[in-house]
Amino acid sequence: MMVPLLLAVALAMYIIPRILMVSVKKELNLPPRLSDKSKRTVPRLGGVSLFPIMVISVGAAVVSCLMDMTGEQSLFDGESESSFVQYMFAIAGLTTMYLLGVMDDLIGVSFLSKIGIQFLASLLIPLSGLYINDLHGLLGIYELPAWLGILGTMVTIWFISNAIPMLDDIDGLASGLAMLAFSVLGILAFIASQPFLLMICAAMVGMLIPFFLRNVMGWRIGWRNIYLGDTGGLTIGYMLAFVVVALSRQGGNTLPDGIIMVCFGTLLLPMFDVVRVAIMRTVNNRSVFDRDNNHIHHRLMMGGMSPGNVLITIILVTAFFVLLNVVGVWLEWNLSLLLIGNVTCWVMLQVVISYFKNKNRDKIDQQWMSL
């Protein structure tokens, strides 16, 4: 599926500089990232490019496939036809999320309005007939009632969609983690013979490559950083959630039982981190929707890591969790024990981070006392 990948790269390379120009002229900027040494304000409308690029790239790939079809062959046979319908519902939901993100980046949206619109967009995917209907023995749960599967899918989509924007504080973190997730999911889509999901994954990886290179290495040749913003974060998160749910449904069919663990394993770090932050805010009698500097990338930097090392660490840890779940599922480990293993590794990681964070804080306190 090179058509959506290459086309998305080309379109992103063409569109991003023009978005930068508009953002600078209209002063649509945000304070510099934690990792930006230049201290220049950063344009915030990078995510505006993602939706049209994905639609064009996937659409062009579909047309290309149809033109290659001969005789009675069709891209829309059997499961592919159902996937196409689900994709169209997802595009409708993505349009809603995209417009919400644009409004939020430009003028701001009230909390209640944002929640309502996001749940409406989350509902569209189950309405297409796509929802998590089986946990394959995870926590002793197998087939789910339709109402519970639909409700759980909506909450999952909303949760993932809002987890991605929280990673946009460090250069390349949101785009790098999303590229890794879409790459793994793309491989699964190829194994499962799901052409539409494979096209989506290829297009998303293609459009994120220029963002990643610009934010991580662009300074070497004078490229300016750019935020994905809420528009980009919601777009990436929504499509990740859609692909994760769609591939999870292939467990026991074209993919092994328990593939849900691999799918969600690609997003384990941001999802667990959001849960941890929400618990900490609740314990401290604060709203779970408050903003603070207590996410995993902030904590790693407080432990003495540079932004570049934080990026590498989070990518490597995510790759470890993906590998752990792939091995566990393919070797048919008990899914509940596999989940416990994931949680145990996560807790150990938090203990190590807390140790270095406290050690670094003590070191800083001692330096201040010596002055």
Side-chain angles (χ1 to χ4, degrees):
M1 287 294 160
M2 297 301 294
V3 172
L5 177 67
L6 297 178
L7 184 57
V9 171
L11 288 172
M13 293 292 290
Y14 176 80
I15 293 174
I16 291 174
R18 285 149 183 82
I19 292 177
L20 280 166
M21 182 175 62
V22 172
S23 296
V24 171
K25 286 186 177 181
K26 299 297 182 180
E27 298 183 350
L28 301 173
N29 302 316
L30 288 172
R33 282 190 178 94
L34 298 172
S35 52
D36 190 354
K37 298 179 181 180
S38 68
K39 302 305 178 184
R40 293 189 302 176
T41 57
V42 182
R44 63 185 178 186
L45 293 182
V48 172
S49 65
L50 297 184
F51 176 74
I53 291 175
M54 195 205 71
V55 173
I56 293 172
S57 301
V58 175
V62 171
V63 171
S64 175
C65 289
L66 290 175
M67 291 178 64
D68 289 339
M69 295 298 181
T70 58
E72 297 181 356
Q73 287 183 317
S74 171
L75 185 63
F76 305 112
D77 285 342
E79 290 293 326
S80 295
E81 182 177 358
S82 176
S83 297
F84 179 71
V85 173
Q86 294 163 1
Y87 169 70
M88 296 307 296
F89 271 83
I91 289 298
L94 181 62
T95 303
T96 305
M97 284 288 205
Y98 175 78
L99 294 176
L100 171 63
V102 172
M103 289 195 317
D104 200 23
D105 283 334
L106 291 178
I107 60 175
V109 179
S110 69
F111 172 74
L112 290 179
S113 297
K114 186 183 295 186
I115 293 295
I117 294 171
Q118 288 178 351
F119 268 102
L120 175 62
S122 300
L123 176 60
L124 289 173
I125 291 179
L127 285 178
S128 70
L130 179 64
Y131 58 89
I132 299 172
N133 62 348
D134 196 331
L135 296 185
H136 302 280
L138 180 63
L139 300 179
I141 303 172
Y142 289 86
E143 188 173 352
L144 295 173
W147 67 269
L148 183 58
I150 291 172
L151 180 60
T153 300
M154 290 177 60
V155 173
T156 298
I157 294 170
W158 176 82
F159 186 70
I160 294 176
S161 298
N162 285 278
I164 300 301
M166 298 178 185
L167 301 172
D168 207 20
D169 283 342
I170 290 181
D171 289 338
L173 183 55
S175 55
L177 196 62
M179 280 197 301
L180 175 60
F182 276 117
S183 297
V184 174
L185 295 171
I187 294 172
L188 295 179
F190 176 78
I191 296 173
S193 300
Q194 295 291 314
F196 283 106
L197 298 180
L198 179 56
M199 291 176 191
I200 292 171
C201 292
M204 293 301 296
V205 171
M207 72 177 71
L208 289 171
I209 288 174
F211 279 97
F212 182 80
L213 295 178
R214 173 177 287 275
N215 287 327
V216 174
M217 295 181 287
W219 58 272
R220 297 177 183 269
I221 55 177
W223 282 355
R224 188 167 184 172
N225 289 3
I226 186 169
Y227 276 110
L228 287 166
D230 280 345
T231 308
L234 290 175
T235 299
I236 295 170
Y238 190 82
M239 292 314 296
L240 270 173
F242 168 68
V243 177
V244 164
V245 173
L247 286 173
S248 297
R249 284 286 296 264
Q250 297 300 313
N253 185 14
T254 54
L255 292 172
D257 277 333
I259 199 67
I260 188 173
M261 286 295 299
V262 178
C263 294
F264 281 95
T266 61
L267 303 170
L268 186 145
L269 226 62
M271 292 177 68
F272 276 15
D273 191 54
V274 170
V275 172
R276 180 191 60 81
V277 170
I279 293 174
M280 294 299 297
R281 291 171 182 171
T282 301
V283 169
N284 293 321
N285 295 319
R286 297 174 52 201
S287 169
V288 296
F289 300 104
D290 284 348
R291 293 180 179 272
D292 57 24
N293 293 329
N294 195 32
H295 289 285
I296 185 171
H297 48 285
H298 299 127
R299 286 163 53 80
L300 286 170
M301 290 185 67
M302 293 175 189
M305 276 193 177
S306 67
N309 288 335
V310 170
L311 170 63
I312 294 172
T313 299
I314 291 180
I315 295 295
L316 290 178
V317 170
T318 300
F320 165 77
F321 279 114
V322 170
L323 182 61
L324 172 64
N325 287 291
V326 167
V327 171
V329 169
W330 256 262
L331 293 181
E332 300 182 354
W333 292 354
N334 181 279
L335 294 186
S336 297
L337 293 179
L338 183 58
L339 177 60
I340 293 173
N342 279 269
V343 174
T344 301
C345 291
W346 167 259
V347 172
M348 291 174 61
L349 175 64
Q350 297 308 308
V351 171
V352 172
I353 293 175
S354 295
Y355 170 78
F356 283 102
K357 177 185 172 184
N358 294 332
K359 182 178 180 181
N360 192 57
R361 183 173 56 190
D362 293 340
K363 180 179 179 181
I364 294 175
D365 290 343
Q366 291 175 1
Q367 290 175 347
W368 274 102
M369 292 176 62
S370 63
L371 294 177

Short mmCIF file of all heavy atoms in Angstrom, two decimals, residues 25 35 72 89 179 201 271 333:
data_model
loop_
_atom_site.label_atom_id
_atom_site.label_comp_id
_atom_site.label_asym_id
_atom_site.label_seq_id
_atom_site.Cartn_x
_atom_site.Cartn_y
_atom_site.Cartn_z
N LYS A 25 1.47 34.69 10.13
CA LYS A 25 0.85 35.95 9.72
C LYS A 25 -0.34 36.32 10.60
O LYS A 25 -0.56 37.48 10.92
CB LYS A 25 0.43 35.88 8.25
CG LYS A 25 1.59 35.96 7.27
CD LYS A 25 1.09 36.01 5.83
CE LYS A 25 2.26 36.17 4.86
NZ LYS A 25 1.78 36.25 3.45
N SER A 35 10.86 21.24 24.88
CA SER A 35 12.11 20.83 24.26
C SER A 35 12.64 21.83 23.25
O SER A 35 13.64 21.58 22.60
CB SER A 35 11.89 19.48 23.56
OG SER A 35 10.78 19.54 22.70
N GLU A 72 -14.50 -10.13 -12.48
CA GLU A 72 -15.49 -10.07 -11.42
C GLU A 72 -14.88 -9.70 -10.07
O GLU A 72 -15.57 -9.67 -9.06
CB GLU A 72 -16.21 -11.42 -11.29
CG GLU A 72 -17.00 -11.80 -12.54
CD GLU A 72 -17.72 -13.13 -12.35
OE1 GLU A 72 -17.52 -13.75 -11.29
OE2 GLU A 72 -18.48 -13.52 -13.26
N PHE A 89 -18.58 5.69 8.12
CA PHE A 89 -19.08 6.20 9.39
C PHE A 89 -17.94 6.85 10.19
O PHE A 89 -18.13 7.88 10.84
CB PHE A 89 -19.70 5.07 10.21
CG PHE A 89 -21.17 4.86 9.95
CD1 PHE A 89 -21.59 4.10 8.87
CD2 PHE A 89 -22.12 5.41 10.78
CE1 PHE A 89 -22.93 3.88 8.63
CE2 PHE A 89 -23.47 5.22 10.55
CZ PHE A 89 -23.89 4.45 9.47
N MET A 179 3.10 7.13 15.01
CA MET A 179 3.67 6.40 13.88
C MET A 179 3.97 4.95 14.24
O MET A 179 3.71 4.04 13.46
CB MET A 179 4.96 7.09 13.38
CG MET A 179 4.73 8.28 12.50
SD MET A 179 6.21 8.75 11.57
CE MET A 179 7.37 9.06 12.87
N CYS A 201 -3.78 3.14 7.93
CA CYS A 201 -2.52 3.11 8.67
C CYS A 201 -1.37 3.67 7.83
O CYS A 201 -0.54 4.44 8.32
CB CYS A 201 -2.20 1.69 9.12
SG CYS A 201 -3.33 1.04 10.39
N MET A 271 -2.46 5.67 27.67
CA MET A 271 -3.71 5.33 28.35
C MET A 271 -3.48 5.12 29.85
O MET A 271 -4.21 5.66 30.68
CB MET A 271 -4.31 4.07 27.72
CG MET A 271 -4.80 4.26 26.30
SD MET A 271 -5.44 2.75 25.55
CE MET A 271 -6.91 2.48 26.53
N TRP A 333 -0.71 -17.12 25.92
CA TRP A 333 -0.69 -16.93 27.36
C TRP A 333 -2.09 -16.52 27.83
O TRP A 333 -2.89 -15.97 27.07
CB TRP A 333 0.30 -15.83 27.76
CG TRP A 333 1.73 -16.20 27.51
CD1 TRP A 333 2.22 -17.40 27.09
CD2 TRP A 333 2.87 -15.34 27.65
NE1 TRP A 333 3.58 -17.36 26.97
CE2 TRP A 333 4.01 -16.10 27.30
CE3 TRP A 333 3.04 -14.02 28.03
CZ2 TRP A 333 5.29 -15.56 27.33
CZ3 TRP A 333 4.32 -13.47 28.06
CH2 TRP A 333 5.42 -14.25 27.71
#
